[in-house]
């Protein structure tokens, strides 16, 4: 499904606390699927490549731009937008900012519904201590249609 000038955004199936604890204690990796007990957002566990390939170029979901937990992209595109913006501290906003800049720079998104599935272990959700700061920055950058992070990966290359 990989194509130049595209990034892929897959689905995520959250595991509940009980299943996460069980898996972590056993150290085994089970074959999880739609029918497995302990899954949240179960619909995302359906795996069907034929349906996924049909939907990918047609699915234009605007609600979730992309989350770093299940996203892939070309190195050239990552460098073109200067990677993740180091303005963000802690959790929150950095993935949306990154994918927004990718879209603004002409990189298109393929949403891999029913394929590209990640099973995400349960963990405590901590409130973002700088949520408002991050959100204001993201909203400003989005409105300006920014394509390059001012402080990003280029400083390390």
């Amino acid at each position: 499904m990989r194509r130049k000038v595209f990034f892929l955004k897959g689905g995520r199936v959250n595991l509940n606390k009980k299943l996460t604890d069980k898996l972590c204690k056993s150290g085994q990796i089970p074959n999880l699927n739609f029918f497995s007990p302990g899954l949240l957002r179960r619909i995302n566990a359906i795996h069907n490549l034929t349906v996924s390939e049909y939907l990918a170029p047609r699915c234009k979901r605007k609600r979730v731009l992309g989350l770093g937990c299940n996203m892939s992209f070309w190195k050239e595109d990552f460098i073109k937008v200067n990677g993740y913006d180091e303005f963000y501290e802690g959790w929150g906003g950095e993935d949306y900012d990154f994918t927004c800049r990718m879209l603004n720079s002409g990189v298109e998104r393929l949403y891999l519904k029913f394929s590209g599935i990640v099973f995400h272990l349960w963990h405590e959700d901590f409130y973002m201590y700088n949520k408002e700061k991050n959100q204001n920055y993201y909203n400003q950058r989005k409105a300006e249609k920014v394509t390059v992070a001012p402080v990003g990966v280029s400083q390390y290359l």
Side-chain angles (χ1 to χ4, degrees), residues 6-148:
F6 279 86
F7 70 93
L8 304 178
K9 185 229 177 286
R12 174 170 116 177
V13 181
N14 293 328
L15 279 57
N16 69 17
K17 184 176 184 339
K18 183 178 177 182
L19 178 57
T20 297
D21 290 345
K22 178 182 172 185
L23 296 178
C24 290
K25 286 177 186 167
S26 74
Q28 296 180 3
I29 301 172
N31 185 13
L32 298 172
N33 61 60
F34 178 82
F35 299 104
S36 298
L39 303 183
L40 308 173
R41 294 170 40 184
R42 183 174 301 277
I43 189 75
N44 287 342
I46 296 173
H47 187 259
N48 187 312
L49 290 176
T50 303
V51 173
S52 181
E53 287 178 1
Y54 174 79
L55 290 176
R58 293 166 179 80
C59 192
K60 304 295 182 191
R61 293 187 67 174
K62 302 266 189 239
R63 188 171 54 90
V64 177
L65 296 174
L67 294 174
C69 69
N70 193 4
M71 183 169 46
S72 64
F73 37 82
W74 294 96
K75 179 182 177 181
E76 303 88 58
D77 295 329
F78 181 79
I79 291 171
K80 178 170 66 173
V81 300
N82 202 18
Y84 278 88
D85 189 331
E86 291 195 10
F87 169 85
Y88 295 93
E89 292 181 15
W91 178 83
E94 71 281 357
D95 292 328
Y96 293 155
D97 176 75
F98 173 75
T99 55
C100 189
R101 286 184 286 109
M102 292 282 268
L103 293 167
N104 289 342
S105 71
V107 180
E108 296 182 53
R109 174 187 54 227
L110 283 176
Y111 183 63
L112 301 181
K113 187 70 173 177
F114 304 123
S115 67
I117 301 167
V118 162
F119 291 92
H120 186 63
L121 299 175
W122 178 91
H123 58 83
E124 196 71 48
D125 282 334
F126 295 104
Y127 185 78
M128 296 177 287
Y129 61 89
N130 55 356
K131 181 179 181 178
E132 187 175 335
K133 176 183 165 191
N134 284 358
Q135 190 64 48
N136 289 340
Y137 181 75
Y138 166 71
N139 289 338
Q140 176 188 351
R141 312 269 296 149
K142 182 180 176 186
E144 294 170 355
K145 298 190 183 312
V146 172
T147 59
V148 178

